[in-house]
Amino acid sequence: MENVTVIDHPLIQHKLSLMRRRETPTNEFRVLLREISHLLGYEVTRDLELETRTIETPLTETRSAFLSGKKLALISILRAGNGLLEGMLDLVPSARVGHIGLYRDPDTLVAVEYYFKVPEGLPERPVIMLDPMLATANSAIAAVERIKEVGARNIKMVCLLAAPEGIRAFNTAHPDVPIFTASIDERLDHHGYIVPGLGDAGDRLYGTQ
Ligand code: PRP
Ligand code: URA
């Protein structure tokens, strides 16, 4: 599939299998998602800009690499995006954070916006969008449209699970935005849920089932 990278490190696959299991409780689900977000984040931030600066070690002066340029923006698609956000912030604590509140209308599966607050300067920042589930992709497509409206250009989409239908729709709407995912699952069911999937990510993360 075009414009999609599957990050299928063995640790990710193992932790994802634990997350998928019906009996995995909320507290374990949340910890596993945070751990997986570290592993996804490692790959997704691979091309961040660096600059060298002079430092002193206890032994000598040397040139050493530091992150440079405008700070990364992490944009969480509420609610479930927050499950990936915490782990990404562990890796890049200086990142700026935005939130886009969207819920899927259960009948039409259309994404309905209820909140939008993002950092300034998005045109100059690398932007990473976070949502564990790319199902129909209606939510991710709408969120990226809103981010582009405020000028973001260098955007990546990070999810945990993606459905082939969602990847196709997202690629059509935003061919310039690469997707990074831990798994491409089989399909969507009649209610727009990813199969085999893991159920409702927000509910499993926050125990609201
Ligand atoms: C879930 C999930 C995504 C969306 C994916 O959110 O977190 O945002 O569904 O589905 P889509 O690709 O078909 O749009 P939901 O609307 O259930 O809201 P929540 O995160 O607040 O539970
Ligand atoms: N949203 C979820 O949380 N899970 C799915 O399978 C599809 C959309």
Side-chain angles (χ1 to χ4, degrees):
M1 284 198 148
E2 277 180 41
N3 226 2
V4 54
T5 302
V6 180
I7 304 171
D8 57 358
H9 188 285
L11 288 174
I12 295 181
Q13 292 192 50
H14 175 78
K15 290 173 191 295
L16 180 53
S17 298
L18 295 174
M19 289 184 76
R20 289 183 191 274
R21 291 202 302 199
R22 180 191 290 275
E23 66 268 28
T24 298
T26 291
N27 56 343
E28 281 176 30
F29 188 91
R30 209 166 32 231
V31 170
L32 288 163
L33 185 55
R34 191 176 186 133
E35 290 172 352
I36 290 180
S37 66
H38 294 156
L39 298 160
L40 295 175
Y42 175 81
E43 279 302 320
V44 166
T45 53
R46 202 171 258 294
D47 59 356
L48 286 181
E49 273 178 46
L50 291 173
E51 65 185 14
T52 51
R53 291 187 222 147
T54 303
I55 59 164
E56 279 185 36
T57 76
L59 301 181
T60 186
E61 192 175 277
T62 187
R63 302 278 294 165
S64 201
F66 291 88
L67 291 176
S68 71
K70 281 286 256 186
K71 289 192 168 66
L72 176 66
L74 300 172
I75 310 291
S76 167
I77 301 176
L78 301 175
R79 289 176 295 171
N82 279 2
L84 287 172
L85 174 65
E86 295 304 321
M88 292 288 295
L89 278 172
D90 291 339
L91 293 185
V92 193
S94 62
R96 298 297 186 242
V97 176
H99 296 90
I100 303 181
L102 291 171
Y103 71 87
R104 273 198 335 174
D105 181 289
D107 298 320
T108 64
L109 303 185
V110 169
V112 182
E113 183 177 314
Y114 60 87
Y115 187 74
F116 185 83
K117 184 85 178 174
V118 296
E120 289 182 347
L122 287 190
E124 293 82 41
R125 298 184 194 279
V127 175
I128 299 181
M129 309 290 294
L130 302 168
D131 190 334
M133 310 304 272
L134 192 83
T136 64
N138 288 343
S139 307
I141 289 170
V144 171
E145 270 165 17
R146 294 288 278 120
I147 283 296
K148 286 183 174 174
E149 278 169 21
V150 293
R153 289 187 299 253
N154 175 5
I155 309 171
K156 291 176 182 167
M157 179 74 218
V158 176
C159 54
L160 181 66
L161 299 186
E165 297 91 328
I167 293 172
R168 277 193 290 274
F170 189 86
N171 280 342
T172 302
H174 299 295
D176 53 319
V177 179
I179 300 168
F180 295 82
T181 184
S183 171
I184 301 176
D185 273 16
E186 282 168 27
R187 61 184 170 86
L188 294 178
D189 73 7
H190 293 307
H191 304 288
Y193 275 84
I194 298 175
V195 179
L198 48 72
D200 187 301
D203 282 345
R204 294 205 61 191
L205 202 48
Y206 297 115
T208 47
Q209 243 155 351

